[in-house]
Amino acid sequence: MPDVPTLNGTYLVLATTVDVTVEIKIGGPGQTSRTTGELSGSIKKVIFKDIPGSISETIVGPNNTLDNSTLDIDSIVAATSSASNYCEMLVLLKGGKEDKTYTLYQTVAAQGDNAVFSCSIDFVQV
Amino acid sequence: MRKVVLMLSFLYIVSIDFAQQKDSMSTQLDLLRAPSSPGASLLNFAATDIERPSEVSSLMLSFSNATGGFTKIPSSYAIDFSPFWLLRKGSFTTDMLNSTKFKEVFRQTAVISIGFRNPDSTDNNFKKENLYSSFGFKFSLARGDYDAKTKETLNSIGQMQVKFLGDYHEEMENFRTTDTLYLRYKEQKRAYIKAHAAEQGFNPDNTPYDTLMSKLQAHAMDSLKIKLGQQLKAIQKLASGFKINRVGFFCDVAGGIGLEYINKTINSSVYNAGIWLNFGNNYESGFGFYGLFRYLYQPKKSFTDDKLLLQTSDLQTFDAGGKAAFNQPGSDFCFSAEAIYRSALTSGTVKPTYKLLVNAEYDIGVNKKLSFTFGRDFDGTITRSSNLIAGLNFLTGFGNNR
């Protein structure tokens, strides 16, 4: 499987006031990471910054405020595990038209190498 | 430390005959550890023959390959998997592997181990007319905290990651909000989605612009990784030698059962079973004290009785043991002494016995250890061995330093 270190996705939102949330899951077991997520476009806001490991469900904003905004998530995952060089970042979005999961992954060459992930999710209201 | 190497080298040379006579000693050294793959161990699978999938899709692919697309019984198949990692339930990164909450410890350490054997005429350890399966589990009830060096290294890696991510994210945001071509694709994608969103089965992630935008973002990422290469190298330098060491109390539980299907029918009987409880305490100074309780059940086991007659009976044994070890932090030298008492729970089978062992090891490189062992085995013989334990680990680590 070829690595997927970058990803551009689209999350459909509705004309409601329900909050859209994002959850980040980092792996594999034994790796060490820091992750930052920022909203750009019509709304500019830091959603999370320099967080180690996985990030529990966090509010991005109400559906009807997110059109024309983009959630940019950057992460660095160091392969500190002595058992595996596999690194991954799962982005789970909820609250919009439907739940969605994006998966970015990379198997680095050796222990200590870094996987860098960049994911941009455009919010489009339908 | 050079003296230690020379001493162990000498012991290796003078005892090489004993090593050849009793090469099973290397496995007995691990008696005070629960097996890492309890299910597979009961059917004598080698560590290199055990598959370890990290995703549900890999697990299904593994099952499918072993069963010829779910059409036949696998001939020889062993698999270990962490159910919570496969389902991505819980956190598995180093920031959470330090948790001492039971829920997290259990999720992060739970392993399911399964094995199948459909032996053919070349397999001498199993009856070729029968089929064998095994199921095992392993988890920790408690584990120690990271030691000071582990915490210090992780803290340093974290600080460097924060610095890198700050610089990287700033430059990447600048690209994503100012690059003309990227922004043009973004606008065109939005217009495309708005125009097609009402269509049945429309997938907003499958527009003509997604790949183009990802390629531009990947190009920007590659440029930044070169620009910030020194920071990545500094992290790599620390992370490459990183190893988690723990201090404090730990307690591991493992168990498994093997079944034998007579004439490959549904009629089955227990082939063997075991349960392990391992516990102990590690200290910052390098000292460690460990304990073991182990129950093993082996039906229809052949053994020699008091009158030296060969008997066959259901054999149940209970082992209890202790071990003291010293491995100074940062040192490649390790010394340990252990004692194990074995009692037979089935009367009229084997007599209670014990084992004493003293072991010295020196790690001389990746996957290579020089060791010396001296002691009394369960059968009363005095054993002495030293060897270079390299072969198996070279196989597992070939082409990679892990």
Side-chain angles (χ1 to χ4, degrees):
Chain A
M1 265 191 321
D3 295 333
V4 181
T6 63
L7 193 146
N8 281 75
T10 302
Y11 192 64
L12 300 181
V13 291
L14 305 168
T16 69
T17 55
V18 174
D19 282 329
V20 170
T21 63
V22 62
E23 183 181 356
I24 307 292
K25 293 189 177 187
I26 302 286
Q31 315 299 29
T32 303
S33 69
R34 292 294 184 280
T35 305
T36 290
E38 184 175 354
L39 210 53
S40 64
S42 61
I43 304 174
K44 292 185 189 303
K45 186 169 75 173
V46 174
I47 306 297
F48 40 78
K49 188 173 167 59
D50 303 333
I51 305 295
S54 299
I55 301 169
S56 58
E57 209 170 330
T58 305
I59 293 173
V60 181
N63 269 254
N64 59 1
T65 64
L66 294 176
D67 193 26
N68 269 321
S69 296
T70 304
L71 178 59
D72 296 319
I73 302 163
D74 293 318
S75 183
I76 176 169
V77 184
T80 43
S81 166
S82 58
S84 170
N85 296 333
Y86 177 76
C87 304
E88 74 171 19
M89 177 174 79
L90 270 59
V91 180
L92 294 84
L93 290 157
K94 291 179 182 172
K97 192 181 177 191
E98 58 185 21
D99 296 350
K100 197 172 253 187
T101 300
Y102 293 100
T103 306
L104 294 85
Y105 53 89
Q106 183 177 356
T107 302
V108 298
Q111 181 182 356
D113 287 353
N114 296 279
V116 181
F117 297 120
S118 285
C119 177
S120 289
I121 311 290
D122 294 322
F123 293 103
V124 179
Q125 188 171 313
V126 291
Chain B
M1 197 49 68
R2 188 179 294 169
K3 287 179 182 174
V4 174
V5 177
L6 288 171
M7 181 187 76
L8 288 171
S9 302
F10 174 73
L11 292 171
Y12 168 62
I13 293 164
V14 297
S15 307
I16 198 163
D17 54 329
F18 285 91
Q20 287 165 346
Q21 288 169 19
K22 199 163 182 72
D23 59 3
S24 62
M25 184 58 72
S26 58
T27 54
Q28 292 176 16
L29 291 175
D30 287 336
L31 206 60
L32 278 146
R33 287 185 197 161
S36 57
S37 308
S41 298
L42 290 171
L43 294 185
N44 296 341
F45 280 96
T48 47
D49 294 334
I50 302 169
E51 297 195 22
R52 294 181 174 87
S54 61
E55 294 173 32
V56 174
S57 58
S58 307
L59 177 73
M60 297 311 291
L61 183 65
S62 174
F63 278 142
S64 179
N65 288 342
T67 57
F70 303 103
T71 59
K72 62 174 185 178
I73 297 167
S75 59
S76 178
Y77 178 64
I79 188 168
D80 279 4
F81 59 90
S82 161
F84 294 102
W85 165 244
L86 278 185
L87 298 170
R88 302 300 191 263
K89 296 287 183 191
S91 296
F92 293 83
T93 41
T94 49
D95 56 296
M96 287 303 287
L97 290 177
N98 199 24
S99 173
T100 51
K101 288 180 184 171
F102 174 71
K103 185 181 171 185
E104 290 295 335
V105 172
F106 179 76
R107 282 179 167 184
Q108 291 162 359
T109 56
V111 173
I112 301 290
S113 175
I114 296 171
F116 288 99
R117 270 202 192 274
N118 189 4
D120 56 24
S121 55
T122 61
D123 200 333
N124 297 324
N125 296 320
F126 298 89
K127 295 175 184 171
K128 65 178 180 182
E129 60 272 18
N130 296 344
L131 179 70
Y132 300 84
S133 73
S134 64
F135 173 83
F137 63 87
K138 184 182 177 186
F139 61 89
S140 296
L141 291 170
R143 67 183 173 196
D145 193 6
Y146 288 163
D147 70 2
K149 190 185 174 194
T150 302
K151 285 180 183 171
E152 185 187 328
T153 307
L154 281 176
N155 190 38
S156 300
I157 291 172
Q159 286 176 2
M160 288 191 279
Q161 284 186 323
V162 167
K163 172 75 173 72
F164 170 86
L165 194 59
D167 295 343
Y168 176 84
H169 182 71
E170 186 182 341
E171 298 249 13
M172 208 61 182
E173 273 301 89
N174 186 42
F175 159 78
R176 289 184 288 230
T177 53
T178 61
D179 186 82
T180 313
L181 189 56
Y182 185 81
L183 290 174
R184 189 192 306 160
Y185 286 148
K186 193 173 176 177
E187 278 308 308
Q188 289 173 343
K189 185 173 92 162
R190 290 185 59 80
Y192 183 91
I193 289 168
K194 294 257 183 190
H196 294 83
E199 292 174 8
Q200 188 75 21
F202 173 70
N203 180 2
D205 287 325
N206 193 23
T207 74
Y209 307 99
D210 294 300
T211 309
L212 294 169
M213 290 175 73
S214 285
K215 277 185 180 173
L216 286 175
Q217 193 163 216
H219 182 71
M221 173 193 275
D222 290 342
S223 302
L224 276 175
K225 283 165 79 173
I226 292 169
K227 186 178 175 181
L228 304 173
Q230 289 303 318
Q231 291 191 45
L232 289 174
K233 268 189 185 170
I235 298 170
Q236 193 266 348
K237 193 176 175 184
L238 264 186
S240 61
F242 178 75
K243 185 182 169 190
I244 291 177
N245 289 313
R246 295 179 188 275
V247 289
F249 179 73
F250 72 89
C251 184
D252 300 332
V253 179
I257 184 167
L259 296 176
E260 185 174 25
Y261 299 86
I262 312 300
N263 296 322
K264 301 184 181 179
T265 64
I266 197 72
N267 294 327
S268 63
S269 60
V270 175
Y271 176 67
N272 54 10
I275 189 160
W276 291 258
L277 177 70
N278 294 69
F279 54 93
N281 208 86
N282 289 306
Y283 298 88
E284 288 276 5
S285 59
F287 279 103
F289 298 97
Y290 315 109
L292 156 90
F293 292 117
R294 181 176 71 166
Y295 168 78
L296 287 179
Y297 175 57
Q298 296 167 287
K300 290 172 277 182
K301 176 77 175 174
S302 297
F303 61 92
T304 309
D305 69 4
D306 298 347
K307 296 169 186 169
L308 299 178
L309 295 173
L310 191 66
Q311 303 281 0
T312 300
S313 177
D314 293 349
L315 194 61
Q316 295 182 66
T317 56
F318 180 75
D319 294 348
K323 177 177 179 177
F326 178 69
N327 185 5
Q328 192 177 11
S331 166
D332 295 321
F333 179 70
C334 177
F335 179 82
S336 66
E338 65 185 62
I340 300 169
Y341 179 77
R342 171 171 293 173
S343 59
L345 301 180
T346 321
S347 60
T349 53
V350 293
K351 276 187 169 180
T353 182
Y354 63 94
K355 173 181 176 178
L356 295 169
L357 209 62
V358 175
N359 179 55
E361 272 182 12
Y362 185 75
D363 192 337
I364 57 172
V366 178
N367 293 335
K368 282 173 281 185
K369 279 184 180 174
L370 199 61
S371 71
F372 174 73
T373 303
F374 180 79
R376 177 200 187 276
D377 210 343
F378 284 120
D379 60 7
T381 57
I382 300 299
T383 61
R384 183 166 46 139
S385 79
S386 64
N387 53 11
L388 189 64
I389 304 168
L392 180 63
N393 287 329
F394 268 138
L395 283 175
T396 58
F398 188 71
N400 190 325
N401 281 347
R402 305 219 180 174

